[in-house]
Amino acid sequence: MSERQDAIKVMVVDDHPMWRDAVARDLSESGFEVVATAGDGEQAVRRAKAAAPDVLVLDLNLPAKPGVQVCKELVGHNPALRVLVLSASGEHADVLEAVKSGATGYLLKSASTEELLDAVRRTAVGDPVFTPGLAGLVLGEYRRLASEPAPAPDADEPGAPRLTERETEVLRLVAKGLSYKQIAERLVISHRTVQNHVQNTLGKLQLHNRVELVRYAIERGLDDE
């Protein structure tokens, strides 16, 4: 059963009023519920905590508090929040900083309205959405991060959480960079079942988001299997 699109609550954060209003209008006209907008970082954090959107459409270049800091604070406050960065910058450093701060996806402002609407829909269900060419960059960064020592649950420790065979299979495909939709097609299961496996795995491993999950998988070589 597909989720009703109008149940997706979205907040738009951008310091350009005309752009912000246009994006909010496009989302509203397409059936999304725009629960709040904000024009600077401080306002964004305050209003997002009050409005509790499902998806935050966020510009990085904000007065009062930069977008990456907004992202970090809000995802820390509510790990279930999905953040889609909508930026004029395609600089690799900006993309990677956004992902490391907790963003689910990154879209350039040159994207069409249709691409934006599709990106918000996919972000809402947990799919990573990136402007073409940026997904490979992000996966490469996951690999680099995984090569650095980091505290993570050790699967070999006594009493460590045990993943089911299917959870491990889903985790391996996540590490390879597949979207939830692609994983569902590969394993011939529903999109929602993939989401449930990922959520269960996050809970068992005490991880908070897809970035940490991919890092965990790559550290254990699951992406090479």
Side-chain angles (χ1 to χ4, degrees):
M1 187 177 71
S2 63
E3 294 177 344
R4 282 173 44 220
Q5 182 176 300
D6 60 5
I8 300 172
K9 297 187 293 184
V10 186
M11 177 173 172
V12 182
V13 182
D14 196 290
D15 63 331
H16 293 96
M18 286 179 64
W19 176 269
R20 183 173 69 242
D21 292 349
V23 170
R25 185 176 62 248
D26 287 340
L27 289 167
S28 292
E29 289 175 354
S30 297
F32 294 96
E33 183 185 354
V34 178
V35 293
T37 62
D40 67 57
E42 296 284 3
Q43 191 180 64
V45 170
R46 197 167 58 247
R47 291 185 180 175
K49 287 180 178 179
D54 301 312
V55 178
L56 185 69
V57 178
L58 177 70
D59 187 18
L60 293 181
N61 190 18
L62 297 172
K65 182 175 289 193
V68 289
Q69 187 60 36
V70 171
C71 183
K72 196 174 296 183
E73 285 186 32
L74 289 175
V75 172
H77 173 73
N78 174 19
L81 175 67
R82 313 290 189 191
V83 180
L84 174 66
V85 170
L86 186 59
S87 175
S89 168
E91 291 293 324
H92 289 182
D94 289 336
V95 179
L96 296 178
E97 196 177 4
V99 171
K100 283 188 276 190
S101 70
T104 313
Y106 196 106
L107 201 64
L108 293 181
K109 285 187 173 179
S110 55
S112 68
T113 301
E114 290 71 25
E115 286 171 326
L116 170 62
L117 298 174
D118 180 60
V120 174
R121 286 186 200 103
R122 289 171 56 200
T123 298
V125 295
D127 275 350
V129 183
F130 293 95
T131 290
L134 296 181
L137 167 78
V138 172
L139 192 58
E141 178 67 4
Y142 285 153
R143 292 176 185 278
R144 189 191 69 74
L145 283 172
S147 69
E148 297 176 355
D154 190 337
D156 299 325
E157 284 178 7
R162 305 286 302 175
L163 299 182
T164 65
E165 191 175 329
R166 180 45 63 92
E167 285 167 353
T168 303
E169 201 172 9
V170 170
L171 179 57
R172 185 159 53 242
L173 296 175
V174 168
K176 288 176 184 289
L178 273 67
S179 71
Y180 293 175
K181 181 170 183 284
Q182 290 169 322
I183 294 171
E185 290 169 356
R186 176 81 64 92
L187 300 180
V188 199
I189 55 180
S190 73
H191 190 291
R192 182 166 289 283
T193 300
V194 174
Q195 281 181 266
N196 289 341
H197 283 313
V198 171
Q199 288 305 316
N200 289 342
T201 303
L202 286 171
K204 284 184 179 181
L205 300 178
Q206 296 183 325
L207 303 175
H208 301 100
N209 54 45
R210 190 185 174 101
V211 176
E212 294 181 5
L213 192 63
V214 172
R215 180 173 176 166
Y216 176 92
I218 293 174
E219 282 175 344
R220 282 151 185 77
L222 291 175
D223 59 316
D224 294 325
E225 294 180 13

